[in-house]
Amino acid sequence: MVTSERKPYLLDFEKPLAELENRIEQIRELATENGVDVTDQIRQLESRALELRHEIFSNLSPAQKLQLARHPRRPSTLDYIQAISDEWMELHGDRNGSDDPALVGGVGSIAGRPVVMLGHQKGRDTKDNVQRRFGMASPGGYRKAMRLMEHADRFSMPIITFIDTPGAWAGVEAEQLGQGEAIAYNLREMFRLEVPIICTVIGEGGSGGALGIGVGDRLLMFEHSVYTVASPEACASILWKDAAKAPQAAEALKITALDLKNLGILDDLLVEPIGGAHSDPLKTAAILKQALLHHLTELCQLNNSERRELRYQKFRRIGVFMELSA
């Protein structure tokens, strides 16, 4: 897992908790220096800090969950792969002259089961983010992903994808190289694959960029991740001509894991440690690994035609609604 000694990045709603925890640490240090026993006071403050943590993270708005999904210290695809796999070998290139660092993948194993894992990869700092285009994959990235998935299908290995992107790269060069076609091809071909496919939204699932590796038998989402047809900022700019109304758009778009669970789109909502995935990455990875193994066991009990039919029906049900007359 990636670690850092730098000052932790704090969101606005995290600051009261951080201030209380800093106060506790200061009192502990002063007590140690002066030989004073403040055990009872520290215990009370720690209890209050735990209560405050629960209060904050159990009442987050969709806009605040979006902030958590975009948190720069949130575990990434490579973090999860390193934490949950027994072994892992990254594979490069789309065999058409491109190797997109915004979408990574390769062959590995989980609990002794060979799998192909791939996903969007954001950077940890400005330089890394620029190199990886903030996790926004190019056409070459989606073609690389499809090459890896076809490899998995050929050798009967389950496919695990990790979704974490604001959307597909929207540069002029991406359009010249066929961004729309690359994503559409993946959507069609992922329905054809015969091996189990599990897709997990680990952070931000944005638009077609997410869907390009998002067609699967099961959709998992972490508690504070989001999945949306357009970013709240873009939605607010389109509907109200004002990006400042993004929080209102986030509410209306129904982008949270709980929203998608209630809409019947999500198959499994993964509860994060109190404080978010970045507060305890190893525990978060253990939660993900357990869920993946559970769903893999269920899916591997079905034959190929059963899985393909269930996958087809799963997506046919999305968006179906009934109007009741007066």
Side-chain angles (χ1 to χ4, degrees), residues 113 158-160 194-199 216-220 267 291-304 306-308 310-311 314:
R113 187 193 299 271
I159 298 167
I160 297 172
E194 296 186 337
V195 295
I197 306 174
I198 302 176
C199 307
D217 304 297
R218 300 285 166 85
L219 175 63
L220 285 54
D267 297 299
L292 290 174
L293 290 174
H294 168 73
H295 288 288
L296 277 176
T297 299
E298 288 189 350
L299 290 170
C300 288
Q301 293 174 356
L302 305 173
N303 62 43
N304 295 345
E306 287 173 333
R307 272 196 303 268
R308 289 176 62 184
L310 289 173
R311 190 184 306 157
K314 170 182 173 61

Side-chain angles (χ1 to χ4, degrees), residues 3-137:
T3 59
S4 175
E5 297 298 326
R6 293 176 299 175
K7 184 178 178 180
Y9 179 93
L10 292 175
L11 301 172
D12 288 341
F13 58 84
E14 293 180 299
K15 289 178 181 177
L17 177 62
E19 291 171 0
L20 179 55
E21 291 176 339
N22 288 336
R23 194 185 318 154
I24 293 171
E25 190 58 34
Q26 289 171 2
I27 293 172
R28 183 180 284 113
E29 290 177 0
L30 287 172
T32 301
E33 291 174 3
N34 295 283
V36 180
D37 184 7
V38 292
T39 304
D40 291 340
Q41 294 90 328
I42 291 293
R43 187 179 295 115
Q44 290 175 4
L45 287 172
E46 287 178 338
S47 176
R48 174 55 189 149
L50 183 60
E51 290 176 3
L52 182 59
R53 185 179 292 272
H54 278 274
E55 288 174 12
I56 292 173
F57 287 92
S58 62
N59 294 287
L60 295 175
S61 68
Q64 289 172 327
K65 290 195 174 189
L66 177 62
Q67 286 182 284
L68 272 182
R70 293 171 172 172
H71 199 291
R73 308 314 300 168
R74 193 171 178 87
S76 68
T77 290
L78 289 177
D79 290 331
Y80 284 121
I81 289 175
Q82 292 168 16
I84 69 176
S85 61
D86 309 319
E87 53 184 342
W88 156 255
M89 178 182 292
E90 185 174 354
L91 301 177
H92 296 272
D94 66 347
R95 297 299 182 266
N96 196 31
S98 173
D99 181 35
D100 186 4
L103 204 155
V104 299
V107 179
S109 65
I110 301 178
R113 187 193 299 271
V115 294
V116 164
M117 293 179 281
L118 56 100
H120 304 101
Q121 180 64 33
K122 294 180 178 179
R124 283 299 183 199
D125 52 35
T126 302
K127 181 178 179 181
D128 195 20
N129 262 319
V130 169
Q131 180 186 3
R132 296 187 184 275
R133 286 192 304 277
F134 295 84
M136 295 184 288

